[in-house]
Amino acid sequence: MLQKLYLRLQVIEIIDNYVISLNKTYVNNTYQENIASQKYLLLHLISLSNINDFHISIRYFHDPRESSDQQLKLYLIINLSADEPDDIKLARDEIASFLEIGSLSKFYKFNVLQKDLYELNDIGWVNHIGEIIKPEVFNLQGYYLPYLFEAEQDNSMLTVCDVLHRLNEKFILEITIQSCYASEDRTTWVNALGQIVAQLQLLINNKKDDSLQNALDIYKQYQTNYVNKNLLKYSIKGLAETRSNIRTVLMTLLQSATKTNSYGEHNYIEIISRDRDEQKFLENLRASEKIEISTAFERKGWEGDFGEKYIREPIKPKLNNELGDGSTNIYSSFNPTNFSQTALPSSGGAIIPSGNSALAQIKDLKPLHRLGTIEEISGFFRLVIPGDTLVPGMEKNRLRMSNAEDIFKNYRHLITKDEYIVGLDDEGNPVTSSWSEIPHRLVAGVPGSGKSNFLKWVIFQFLYVNPKRKIYIADFAGVDFLYLRNMRANVEIETTIENCPNFIEKIHSEEYKNRLDLMQQYQVQNLQELQNESFEIDRTLWIIDEAADIATIPTSSHRLRDSIEKKLQEYARKGRKFGIHIIYCTQRPTTEVITKQVTDQCEEKIIFRVSPDASYRILENTMAGDIPKDTKGRAYLDGSAGKKFVNTPLIKMPSGSKVKIEDTLWSEIHNK
């Protein structure tokens, strides 16, 4: 028994504030990735196995009566059938997987809707339907030329959405395709193609003619792209309350989705349209209700006996230019003055000889105007791409720029003695990191990328858990962390490189050796067991900022750097159980500053914008090198949470008399 699946999804754009108004290279790369992802969706859907019939429709629904951000809605509707229930279930699961975790999920959120969604099923308000069909050239003497669509691959649909948003009536723009694994009339039109190509080739051999060559090139393209490939049947139409707006919307779509050369001069463009009281209207409307394709509308050129004319060997034109027996005389009827448009480039396809001796008729070529390849249809079959422009009237699932107050309010329960929040991922979910799993971190980023703010965010969380925790900071700039002293935090700050060796030794003796002695004395294995012995002892944090300054003093750089790296190596082996953690930071990630010793011991890396070379050296990829210049707080994380982009929050700092401690999150520590 035939099994059917109707899947309706509302598509909501995910607007990434880190993309909006950023550098053009980054926006363009994201834009092209979105286009590629939409093509992958199409390829994925039409390649589903064990499916008998498959329709997929993109619908833009405009209703001016809705609220300002709900007037334009975007839907993806899928209608498929199979012989077995298991095949339907498998297809549904594969579709859901692609939409949830595939590349398109970076740009859109897909909300599954009920089958009886009112605004999709009730289209009784439609009084007028207009439809786009591939341009066709008719000649009453029997000449016929169907053009191909040449897709505009950069179509964002923004212009179309802008036109829809200005309408004062309901309107549905519908782009529906049907996969054609096999076409019952394929043999017929393949035979007709072979005959017409052969005739054109003979004529050109006898007499060079640019118009004939253009026609031959187009028919050869059909042979190359259609004969041995899976094709799509398409329907591109507008459903409106009144006739007045239908042509404006569809012409805007046509101009956005195709290149000019694909449809020639504008006098060959015809929007096929019907009112409710005209023939074939209801048949076309019911097809939209069922998510199917109707071929009820056709151009006037097919009226009468035009399609009955035969494609035959050409005869020489008579002196009075009569056609003789009424068969198609391509040479005499193909008038160059009628075809001033530039033809599509030749595909170079070979002529496919017909194995059928029967004479083909013009109507045998008629299926071509309703068929297309993925490449042809892809310019139309497009979910709107916002890029750096928001779509008017459409709901957005905005990725808000992270701020520490909101994150703390919503996720403070995730901040524990063992874990802290790095920031939010691109879906708005909190990303945490574990001190117990990874003791040491490497933080890098050029000035202004958000590195220093991130350190303050980490320090806040570290002290929020226990304000008595000890923090050691090597801050050679000398000003970034003075606020901690004003809050009477348990912190020691070293600002001179010359005193840094003594500073390191103090940390080693007061923290490392002290904990080692206590563990040996009480025969415990780690910090947790030591705390269970009622010792008031907790994790210790050592921040090195800016590590590159160490390398600027030749007389001490090697000895000091070696000393730090030696401690890193020692603490890397034992720091997890001792509760000693190092954050190694730099704005200038050169090979002298970040050696292999450092990257090996710092198992977690939070890399803000750096050069592509520095990104590759640290991460073995260039992801951090692709972060836009104007983006603050965005970093590439390689650590306990996996490998991903993370948006670290801006944390407000006390600043003299203007911003008081009690007006910031730091009051959570100060008042304890």
Side-chain angles (χ1 to χ4, degrees), residues 6 34 87 93 121 161 209 212 229 256 324 366-367 370 423 525 559 604:
Y6 289 91
N34 189 321
D87 293 334
D93 291 345
N121 288 348
C161 288
D209 186 290
L212 294 177
K229 294 183 180 180
S256 299
K366 186 177 179 180
R370 283 286 184 176
Q525 300 298 315
R559 183 178 54 176
E604 182 159 290

Side-chain angles (χ1 to χ4, degrees), residues 288-531:
S288 292
E289 290 179 337
K290 297 177 181 179
I291 310 103
E292 295 177 347
I293 287 178
S294 169
T295 58
F297 290 4
E298 58 185 34
R299 285 191 172 86
K300 294 179 182 178
W302 291 108
E303 295 176 355
D305 62 353
F306 173 80
E308 304 296 329
K309 294 182 179 293
Y310 286 103
I311 301 173
R312 299 183 57 181
E313 288 292 328
I315 58 175
K316 294 181 179 180
K318 296 184 178 181
L319 293 178
N320 59 3
N321 205 28
E322 295 178 356
L323 284 176
D325 63 359
S327 61
T328 302
N329 185 327
I330 299 176
Y331 183 76
S332 61
S333 63
F334 201 119
N335 189 332
T337 61
N338 293 333
F339 298 92
S340 59
Q341 73 274 14
T342 304
L344 296 173
S346 173
S347 65
I351 298 174
I352 300 177
S354 170
N356 190 338
S357 58
L359 291 176
Q361 294 179 304
I362 293 294
K363 68 180 180 181
D364 295 334
L365 295 170
K366 186 177 179 180
L368 297 179
H369 76 186
R370 283 286 184 176
L371 296 175
T373 61
I374 288 180
E375 287 73 20
E376 281 184 89
I377 304 303
S378 61
F380 292 97
F381 196 84
R382 184 64 52 85
L383 303 173
V384 63
I385 305 174
D388 58 355
T389 304
L390 302 182
V391 181
M394 187 173 287
E395 181 181 358
K396 293 91 178 170
N397 186 29
R398 183 176 294 277
L399 291 180
R400 300 175 63 242
M401 291 189 72
S402 306
N403 70 74
E405 287 74 17
D406 284 349
I407 291 179
F408 182 77
K409 176 182 177 181
N410 295 323
Y411 304 111
R412 71 165 73 190
H413 62 282
L414 298 178
I415 304 172
T416 69
K417 63 184 181 65
D418 293 326
E419 293 198 348
Y420 70 94
I421 301 171
V422 181
L424 301 179
D425 64 17
D426 285 347
E427 284 70 48
N429 303 312
V431 178
T432 61
S433 182
S434 172
W435 299 110
S436 58
E437 290 184 15
I438 298 179
H440 310 311
R441 282 145 184 82
L442 170 61
V443 178
V446 299
S449 61
K451 176 183 65 66
S452 296
N453 178 78
F454 173 69
L455 292 178
K456 295 168 185 175
W457 169 236
V458 173
I459 290 171
F460 164 76
Q461 296 178 82
F462 192 79
L463 295 176
Y464 168 73
V465 174
N466 179 7
K468 294 183 179 181
R469 282 177 163 180
K470 188 66 178 286
I471 300 178
Y472 297 88
I473 303 176
D475 175 22
F476 305 125
V479 294
D480 285 347
F481 301 97
L482 294 181
Y483 64 91
L484 293 172
R485 289 176 176 168
N486 298 332
M487 287 183 286
R488 300 186 296 276
N490 192 15
V491 60
E492 289 193 33
I493 303 175
E494 179 55 59
T495 60
T496 63
I497 294 177
E498 290 77 10
N499 291 335
C500 202
N502 296 331
F503 188 62
I504 295 171
E505 188 56 40
K506 181 177 182 180
I507 297 172
H508 193 65
S509 61
E510 292 187 3
E511 300 296 338
Y512 177 75
K513 287 185 178 180
N514 182 43
R515 294 168 192 237
L516 177 60
D517 291 343
L518 288 172
M519 288 181 185
Q520 290 175 343
Q521 179 181 348
Y522 287 91
Q523 297 182 348
V524 296
Q525 300 298 315
N526 54 49
L527 177 66
Q528 179 64 54
E529 293 179 2
L530 196 59
Q531 290 173 333

